[in-house]
Amino acid sequence: MTTLSLTVPSSCPPLPRVIQGGMGMAVSSWHLASAVAHAGQLGLVSGTALDLVLARRLQNGDRDGAVRRALAAFPVPRFAQRVISRYFRPEGRSEGQPYAPVPRLALRQTRLAQELMVLGSFVEVWLAKEGHDGRVGINFLEKIQMAAPAAAYGSMLAGADYVVTGAGIPRDVPHLLDQLAEHERVEFPVTVVGGSNHTVDFDPESLLGESLPAVPRPTFLAIVSAHALAEHLVREDRTRPDGFVVEGPPAGGHNAPPRGRLTLDEVGQPVFGPRDQADVSKVAALGLPFWIAGAQGTPEALVAAREAGAAGVQVGTLFALATESGLDPALRDDVLNRLRDGTLDVRTEALTSPTGFPFKVAQLPGTLADAGLTAARPRLCDLGYLRTPVQKDDGKVAYRCPAEPVHMYERKGGAVADTVGRSCLCNSLAANVGLGQTRADGYVEPPLVTLGVDVANASRLAERHEGSWSARDALDWLLGDEPAGGVTDLTAGPAVIGS
């Protein structure tokens, strides 16, 4: 095998005060992460379904050439060329033409599936890092375990500075990053209902056909909603992260469910109480850097977080509405108009997500927030990123999703009650960023927009800008009199609460 050289950065700047959160499927686009990183803070790209994003951008013709420019930088050119040959359409898709499929996630993965996952993450991180020396990371959902090895590896080949993981307990990610930095063969544990000792196997050298030198291991941040989880993760070297994002219930996207018995309010939202707020002082006492998330998008919240010992805050909604985000411009304009006239409503839906986690939904017409559109949508699961592997009585593994046809879910041992109210997030999140499927019968997948509930905070920024705002505008407001590139060095540990 041929040994290739990789050029990697050696500097390690201080910690950011603002982390731009990982959002949706390509809402936290490379454009957005690049803008934030260029301004001196931490820009995160969304790591969800980047294999699909890559394939669909290529099928749309890659009009600006950015995807192919990034693929040309991949350290094994022939590896990237196979995906270009399969998916790139120079003239783009014709009107009404469906996208060609990508392989669905599984425990036993095809070569094409792993190629797409590696290259999808590589492209997004590489483009986000292009042209500056700022810090870029990638955000993964722990729920999507079967994609973790290949997707993380692709991001590391592109020089990802941070990996951030939430929506579950990411106990196995630190060790995974250790292994991938040395290009070791990985057997990554996957939770299988009714089974045990299942893994996704990933062998970088066998897949690439090349032997590469070690790459830098990214800093790993675990997203936690409870101080007890943070305390649990730091107990062993294998599970210990390099820091935490402490996320509260107001954050957009998926949230941890309320502790204790589920109680709903008058419109069906889960009721959160004091038990659902992490004790920040106990997280600070662990001695690792941490950031606070969930309704933290104001200058005052940043000051308060730092006074509590945090390195800073993670912010989503302000950046989801920035001009550089991947959110479809028509959807963004609708949200901004409603934000300004006071009619924007964001609800915490208890049943919408197939994951079982509460999910924030912006109540926008023309999206799956409309019960009529949801009822009219053909019930199917053809992307499958949120499918759960299930071991059957004969030992074989099946994959089920509460948003798939009810009879199929029931046939795989699922309870019919679990299917009530579920929406297909995979297809709708793709539609949010202009990559929604057009089916052979003419049906076009509708979007479903998620935002944080801190719309009043976003309204304050909207008052400063007549139209939309940029990522830099959001940072300038959050940081106040500090330059957008301001960073803080917390290598000596967090401040003591109440000192």
Side-chain angles (χ1 to χ4, degrees):
M1 293 185 179
T2 304
T3 300
L4 301 179
S5 297
L6 291 176
T7 301
V8 294
S10 58
S11 59
C12 184
L15 299 174
R17 300 187 181 198
V18 176
I19 298 176
Q20 162 255 307
M23 298 172 286
M25 184 190 297
V27 170
S28 290
S29 66
W30 66 264
H31 300 86
L32 178 59
S34 175
V36 173
H38 193 269
Q41 302 305 314
L42 176 58
L44 297 183
V45 298
S46 169
T48 301
L50 286 176
D51 52 344
L52 180 85
V53 171
L54 171 62
R56 292 190 174 181
R57 285 175 177 166
L58 288 172
Q59 290 173 75
N60 284 344
D62 185 28
R63 300 300 188 188
D64 61 1
V67 171
R68 284 168 292 151
R69 186 171 71 251
L71 289 173
F74 192 77
V76 184
R78 65 178 180 274
F79 185 85
Q81 188 58 46
R82 285 193 291 266
V83 166
I84 294 175
S85 298
R86 186 180 186 99
Y87 287 102
F88 179 54
R89 296 175 180 168
E91 303 303 321
R93 294 180 306 132
S94 60
E95 185 176 356
Q97 182 181 12
Y99 285 107
V102 300
R104 292 203 281 180
L105 287 177
L107 292 173
R108 301 294 168 255
Q109 297 172 351
T110 66
R111 181 180 183 87
L112 174 62
Q114 292 194 338
E115 286 176 348
L116 282 167
M117 286 187 283
V118 169
L119 291 172
S121 291
F122 178 89
V123 165
E124 203 75 2
V125 172
W126 190 91
L127 288 172
K129 291 182 66 68
E130 184 183 24
H132 62 85
D133 59 0
R135 308 291 274 181
V136 168
I138 188 166
N139 183 89
F140 294 119
L141 299 180
E142 199 276 337
K143 168 69 178 177
I144 310 180
Q145 294 173 323
M146 292 180 287
Y153 185 66
S155 73
M156 291 169 68
L157 290 181
D161 301 296
Y162 282 73
V163 167
V164 181
T165 303
I169 304 175
R171 61 172 63 88
D172 296 306
V173 177
H175 182 59
L176 171 68
L177 300 181
D178 292 339
Q179 291 179 293
L180 293 178
E182 300 293 333
H183 310 285
E184 295 177 3
R185 186 178 186 276
V186 168
E187 294 179 356
F188 187 70
V190 173
T191 302
V192 176
V193 176
S196 60
N197 301 319
H198 288 276
T199 63
V200 162
D201 299 339
F202 180 74
D203 187 341
E205 187 169 329
S206 175
L207 182 67
L208 296 182
E210 305 284 356
S211 178
L212 302 178
V215 296
R217 178 194 185 278
T219 299
F220 176 61
L221 304 181
I223 300 177
V224 299
S225 60
H227 55 269
L229 175 55
E231 293 167 343
H232 170 74
L233 291 174
V234 301
R235 290 175 184 170
E236 299 180 15
D237 290 342
R238 184 185 177 96
T239 64
R240 183 180 297 113
D242 301 302
F244 297 99
V245 175
V246 184
E247 185 177 82
H254 288 98
N255 308 126
R259 301 176 71 182
R261 184 176 180 179
L262 178 64
T263 302
L264 304 179
D265 66 13
E266 64 278 3
V267 295
Q269 300 183 108
V271 176
F272 294 91
R275 295 178 61 197
D276 302 307
Q277 301 291 338
D279 187 333
V280 172
S281 66
K282 292 184 177 180
V283 177
L286 298 176
L288 296 176
F290 67 98
W291 291 257
I292 301 177
Q296 300 297 309
T298 66
E300 297 85 356
L302 174 57
V303 170
R306 288 175 52 72
E307 289 177 348
V313 294
Q314 176 174 288
V315 177
T317 299
L318 298 185
F319 294 111
L321 300 178
T323 54
E324 299 93 342
S325 93
L327 191 64
D328 183 273
L331 290 172
R332 182 171 63 241
D333 289 346
D334 189 11
V335 171
L336 289 172
N337 289 336
R338 294 172 184 277
L339 187 67
R340 289 189 167 92
D341 65 21
T343 61
L344 180 60
D345 182 17
V346 179
R347 298 181 187 176
T348 304
E349 304 282 3
L351 300 177
T352 295
S353 175
T355 65
F357 287 103
F359 188 71
K360 297 289 193 304
V361 177
Q363 305 299 303
L364 304 177
T367 74
L368 288 181
D370 183 327
L373 280 180
T374 299
R377 180 188 180 273
R379 194 176 181 104
L380 55 82
C381 176
D382 60 346
L383 299 183
Y385 291 98
L386 298 179
R387 294 191 305 171
T388 298
V390 181
Q391 184 169 305
K392 300 188 294 184
D393 292 340
D394 61 5
K396 295 181 180 179
V397 174
Y399 302 88
R400 72 188 185 200
C401 175
E404 70 185 347
V406 176
H407 72 279
M408 295 177 63
Y409 186 76
E410 190 175 15
R411 185 191 307 156
K412 299 168 189 173
V416 173
D418 294 340
T419 67
V420 176
R422 305 299 182 185
S423 291
C424 179
L425 291 190
C426 298
N427 275 292
S428 60
L429 294 184
N432 286 350
V433 294
L435 297 174
Q437 181 65 288
T438 299
R439 305 199 176 279
D441 62 2
Y443 181 81
V444 178
E445 287 286 356
L448 182 69
V449 176
T450 180
L451 294 167
V453 298
D454 58 333
V455 295
N457 293 337
S459 295
R460 291 175 57 191
L461 184 57
E463 291 173 359
R464 300 165 61 97
H465 301 277
E466 289 187 5
S468 56
W469 56 77
S470 69
R472 186 64 181 247
D473 292 332
L475 286 172
D476 286 345
W477 182 59
L478 289 171
L479 294 168
D481 294 333
E482 302 174 6
V487 290
T488 179
D489 186 351
L490 295 186
T491 54
V496 177
I497 307 281
S499 61

